[in-house]
Amino acid sequence: MSKTTASDPAPSAAEDQELGDAGSQLSTAPREDAPNLPALGVIGWARWFWRQLTSMRVALLLLLLLSLGAIPGSLIPQSGSDETKVADFRKAHPALSDVYDKIGMFHVYSSVWFSAIYILLFVSLIGCIVPRTWQFVGQLRGLPPGAPRRLNRLPAHTTWRTTAEPEQVHEAALALLRKRRFRTHLTGDAVAAEKGYLRELGNLVFHIALIVMLVAFAWGQLYKSEGNKLVVEGDGFSNTLTQYDDFKSGNLFTSDDLVPFSFNLKKFTGTYERTGPNKGTPRVYKADITYSSGAYGKDESDTVEVNNPLEIGDSKVYLVSHGYAPVVTVRDAKGKVVFDDAVPLLPLDGNVTSSGVVKVLDGYRNAKGEKEQLGFNAFFVPTFGGHASGTMLSQFPALDNPLLALSAYHGDLGADSGIPQSVYQMDRSNMKEFKNSQGKLFKKLLKPGETMKLPNGAGSVTFGKDIKEWAGFQVVQQPGSGWALAGALAAIGGLAASLFIQRRRVWVRAVTGADGVTVVEMAGLGRSESAKVPEELGHLAGDLYEQATGAPDDPADSPDTDQEPGTEPPVPAEGAEK
């Protein structure tokens, strides 16, 4: 009669000692030896510190600290990404800002403490991986250990008697286990087999992938660049530092790292939902451009859309914003054109109500022939709701009923002071208002094609019928993003392998009993809390039993005399399918 047992999957310490090499090191995790106090001296303390740093618990602790350290970077304005918000925070919280400056909260990711955690985690991972890799390579090159003396002490065990010779059982077991992709060999009176090496390989891949991700993120942060440029239809852009409206980069980035290319905005197209709850929602949002790579590249046409950037080398050109640029023509007192250009205005709401300024810096002379500068506050609505609406806000983002409101100033704009100025704001400290007949600020609403006459024959301003559109582009260059993605995918794959693949060992012993009948013992061992080992052993025992069928049992041991002797196969171990 066959006998099958399935005990606790975790053998006791005494049993593990009895199993010897068979039950040892089913994982490449370092042994937890009793701590030995290091010898006094620099070398001893250095060795102790290295062992602590490269332990798994410290690596997990550093990973947790890195995650916690990144939280302030997402909650507190960072000087590298938004200087305006940082300035507003300093103004609102002056005392707290001084504390934040001392501990590096305005530049978390480049602070000393965050970099220290980052580097320590990097070193800890390498210190964990290198010895485990060599140990795993050694296990791959070695053979599965021989069978323990007492197989019935293993977590999953089954036995039966067979008329086949031990050599025949061994050959059948070798063929069966190799077919199931076990590494096998015959040692002594038993076949030893092992499977599930991908579990340890998954562990190593996961940790190596973390290092790849850390290197990729560091590389990307140090050499990244990000700039924004507003381009009006018909104008172009060349990828040089002076062309950007604003630009920020990593600490090791230089202007030589910029990818050489240029492009021209031929046309921007935007269509919007006309009715329903989504009225005003963009339906089509695209920029038709021509671009060239390098100094002598050939012109090519392409379309940049939201979530569909233009990729040139390591740079990606994203479409991020849109607005209108009314064409304004300014003439002086003698009718001479002193300004004729499209003026981009910044949107204030979803219906593209826009504002900005028109600055005439050179060439203007007033009615007395004196040189002056002109400035106009501009307010533009692409769809004016009419005077009955009582509001100067756009009702729709498309150019259904455009209207431009201008208020006029003259004097000195301060452009020659050497202090940088925004093209969308006007410094009125040295400017005077043009007055209307009632002594108030001179301003007027203009439709396309209409002209505003300045008081006292000072000139005129014409709102052109041709209203151009502009597109805002963001040019991003971040090396290492591909490696970061590959590392993330590898980490997920390695983690899945380490969680779902189980490393286990199987032994098949066939010896001639005292009565001359061959006794077959099969046992399995795994160091994970799973029923897969008993289940798998049950299937293997059933397949092997078909080739080494049972022999008649001793009638004295048979609990059922009506059972035909030698016909009962081995019962699967506990947890196996029946």
Side-chain angles (χ1 to χ4, degrees), residues 147-154 156-157 507-509 521-523:
R149 183 169 57 87
R150 300 177 63 183
L151 288 179
N152 60 347
R153 303 298 297 272
L154 268 64
H157 171 262
W507 294 272
V508 180
R509 174 177 286 149
E521 285 186 287
M522 289 188 69

Side-chain angles (χ1 to χ4, degrees), residues 124-195:
S124 178
L125 286 174
I126 294 177
C128 290
I129 289 172
V130 172
R132 294 187 69 168
T133 300
W134 286 117
Q135 188 174 1
F136 180 62
V137 170
Q139 292 179 3
L140 286 179
R141 297 176 62 183
L143 294 174
R149 183 169 57 87
R150 300 177 63 183
L151 288 179
N152 60 347
R153 303 298 297 272
L154 268 64
H157 171 262
T158 186
T159 181
W160 72 93
R161 292 153 50 89
T162 180
T163 56
E165 295 296 328
E167 292 78 9
Q168 295 175 336
V169 177
H170 291 156
E171 291 177 2
L174 286 170
L176 174 63
L177 292 169
R178 287 169 181 168
K179 184 179 178 181
R180 300 293 181 88
R181 298 189 298 276
F182 278 83
R183 294 178 61 208
T184 63
H185 76 112
L186 180 63
T187 171
D189 59 358
V191 172
E194 191 168 5
K195 188 178 182 180

